[in-house]
Amino acid sequence: MHHFEYRNGVLHAEGVPVPDIARDVGTPFYCYSTATLTRHYQVFSDAFSSMDALICYSVKANSNLAVLKTLARQGSGADIVSEGELQRALMAGMPADKIVFSGVGKTAGEMAYALDVGIHQFNVESEPELYLLSQVAQQKGMTAAVAPRINPDVDARTHKKITTGTQQNKFGLPWESAGAVCQMATDLPGIELVGLDVHIGSQLTDLEPYENAFSRVAELVRELREAGHTIDRVDLGGGLGIPYHPEDAEPPHPDQYAAMIERIIGPLNCEIILEPGRLIAGNAGIMVAEVIYVKTNGDRTFVILDGAMNDLIRPSFYDAYHQIWPVTEPAEDAVSLPIDFVGPVCESADTFAVQRMSPPYQAGDLVAFLSAGAYGAVMSSSYNSRPLIPEVLVDADRFAVTRRRPDFQEMLAGESIPDWL
Ligand SMILES: *Cc1c(COP(=O)(O)O)cnc(C)c1O
């Protein structure tokens, strides 16, 4: 469900014609829909309304300040993985006591900052991390609320680059060592064991891996309580998938996900923390690019765009599928032909789609990549010295640039040539 649709033959973002934005900010650009963001947040939070649930939007999916502010106004907390994300979340008005800190490589400096601002919880992923956090907290005379992240060793059945809950990857503590780590957390000064955390991967389209993982967590909570530990919170991570392909089966609805959680985790009487990212932001954003050239090599047709892999890396990095829509609605009887959509970057991987059946394009046409709101702008780079592309937020009939395009001078501002050269 999103608010990008054709009206009078032109793609609109809510009430705004996409070509109007292109004229104003130039191409390529990202465009986000407020109505879609808030709807996704509401559907998700409504699903958990009968539970003691804290929703911590996963900032890494889309960390634009205006997106964060939109979600903060809905009551969202944040799941952050770096000091930079923590600063963004606070700047956007997310209260510190609704912020949880995930990630395998927190530094002492990051821990100190997070303690100073008073975050809700540290999701700790290793024993050395727990020791360091204990030292940092002790030095400050403070106590860090800790939930060890358990690796439940279940296969999330998603793309290998976004599966995180098996023992072959770097995330979490081995399931078998949970008891020992919780004991360590209880014994260490400056640490308060408050709960357990799990996150098994991203773009999950099936509830079964979740159910397996959460059942293991519930079992562990019972064992830990029997061993005398206080476990008041369980953080169940994020990862619920969204439809990308028009023929994809609908992923489970948040209501089904919540019902399963209520059944498995509800009886524990814990605070439940959820960290949705893609589900909130994914379908709330598009990337718009302009056709520079149409080129044929033998029997292949290439549509060469001004957007590239450095702007939207998901197709090259995750083999991801994005629907590609012409901004001008094609005629009902337009013939489709197989087109390779590519960018100008000097890498064969700079390919968005291969032999995609599409209406014909001409230089100057605008194209929209759907479902680009999550892991789009945040993963962009200036590879090939291409400036980061702007981000625009639409709200009904108005829009605003929420990150402008840097000029070349700004792009080079941090670089200098040593005086010996
Ligand atoms: C990436 C991540 C999320 C969000 O994942 P989505 O698939 O975007 O919902 C949540 N928690 C942790 C720990 C993550 O690393």
Side-chain angles (χ1 to χ4, degrees):
M1 170 68 202
H2 58 71
H3 293 77
F4 300 98
E5 58 180 22
Y6 293 110
R7 292 190 194 169
N8 307 318
V10 177
L11 185 64
H12 280 59
E14 302 188 26
V16 180
V18 169
D20 288 8
I21 305 174
R23 214 167 299 128
D24 209 60
V25 305
T27 54
F29 63 90
Y30 279 97
C31 171
Y32 309 128
S33 152
T34 301
T36 314
L37 285 167
T38 52
R39 186 191 143 83
H40 287 168
Y41 183 84
Q42 280 310 324
V43 167
F44 195 84
S45 77
D46 286 353
F48 287 92
S49 58
S50 67
M51 288 174 249
D52 176 14
L54 173 63
I55 298 172
C56 295
Y57 166 70
S58 180
V59 171
K60 78 181 196 285
N62 185 324
S63 59
N64 187 275
L65 278 177
V67 168
L68 298 183
K69 178 86 191 183
T70 301
L71 296 171
R73 284 172 61 171
Q74 301 291 306
S76 184
D79 165 45
I80 55 110
V81 293
S82 70
E83 183 172 339
E85 285 192 354
L86 179 48
Q87 295 210 10
R88 281 175 181 277
L90 294 170
M91 222 184 280
M94 284 158 161
D97 64 5
K98 286 189 184 176
I99 297 178
V100 299
F101 196 168
S102 300
V104 292
K106 302 173 195 77
T107 64
E110 290 179 315
M111 290 170 175
Y113 179 68
L115 281 166
D116 285 341
V117 302
I119 65 162
H120 189 53
Q121 165 176 313
F122 290 84
N123 292 338
V124 167
E125 303 220 12
S126 67
E127 294 168 24
E129 183 189 337
L130 192 56
Y131 279 118
L132 182 58
L133 183 57
S134 164
Q135 279 172 5
V136 174
Q138 252 184 295
Q139 272 162 17
K140 292 182 163 293
M142 297 173 93
T143 302
V146 162
R149 174 168 173 182
I150 304 303
N151 185 326
D153 200 20
V154 300
D155 182 356
R157 289 191 228 125
T158 180
H159 190 275
K160 66 176 185 310
K161 284 190 183 149
I162 48 176
T163 196
T164 59
T166 76
Q167 307 233 316
Q168 279 85 49
N169 41 57
K170 67 179 178 183
F171 296 101
L173 289 144
W175 156 255
E176 301 77 19
S177 66
V181 170
C182 288
Q183 190 55 51
M184 191 188 297
T186 304
D187 296 343
L188 278 172
I191 300 288
E192 185 193 2
L193 176 70
V194 294
L196 285 183
D197 168 49
V198 66
H199 170 75
I200 59 173
S202 196
Q203 185 52 17
L204 271 74
T205 52
D206 186 358
L207 289 183
E208 200 186 307
Y210 278 125
E211 200 166 331
N212 294 338
F214 298 168
S215 302
R216 298 198 101 173
V217 169
E219 192 184 317
L220 206 48
V221 170
R222 292 194 177 93
E223 281 173 24
L224 291 166
R225 283 177 173 171
E226 264 166 45
H229 297 291
T230 307
I231 304 289
D232 287 335
R233 307 177 191 167
V234 284
D235 181 336
L236 300 173
L240 199 56
I242 61 168
Y244 280 98
H245 194 287
E247 278 152 32
D248 278 349
E250 280 287 317
H253 189 276
D255 286 344
Q256 294 168 285
Y257 174 71
M260 179 270 292
I261 288 172
E262 173 128 61
R263 175 162 51 81
I264 295 174
I265 303 293
L268 300 174
N269 275 315
C270 286
E271 175 189 324
I272 296 171
I273 300 172
L274 301 145
E275 304 170 347
R278 187 190 311 270
L279 183 86
I280 306 292
N283 288 334
I286 59 174
M287 184 185 80
V288 179
E290 186 177 307
V291 178
I292 313 174
Y293 301 113
V294 179
K295 152 173 170 174
T296 46
N297 276 356
D299 58 359
R300 296 283 273 245
T301 300
F302 293 90
V303 164
I304 303 174
L305 302 168
D306 61 0
M309 64 186 289
N310 67 298
D311 306 312
L312 176 63
I313 205 173
R314 299 190 66 259
S316 352
F317 195 47
Y318 301 121
D319 312 309
Y321 179 100
H322 286 270
Q323 291 187 54
I324 301 173
W325 289 5
V327 167
T328 302
E329 189 174 20
E332 290 266 348
D333 58 355
V335 282
S336 286
L337 67 158
I339 293 177
D340 288 16
F341 290 87
V342 303
V345 163
C346 300
E347 298 279 351
S348 297
D350 186 22
T351 298
F352 292 114
V354 175
Q355 299 283 284
R356 178 79 60 87
M357 292 307 289
S358 300
Y361 283 90
Q362 291 176 6
D365 288 348
L366 296 174
V367 304
F369 289 82
L370 278 281
S371 315
Y375 307 105
V378 284
M379 294 181 89
S380 59
S381 75
S382 49
Y383 185 38
N384 276 209
S385 289
R386 296 164 47 83
L388 293 179
I389 68 175
E391 294 172 271
V392 170
L393 182 68
V394 169
D395 178 28
D397 292 327
R398 58 184 172 178
F399 71 92
V401 176
T402 61
R403 185 183 71 187
R404 66 185 169 75
R405 194 189 309 276
D407 62 24
F408 290 106
Q409 232 170 359
E410 280 175 279
M411 191 174 71
L412 296 176
E415 294 186 34
S416 55
I417 296 172
D419 56 10
W420 65 80
L421 285 177

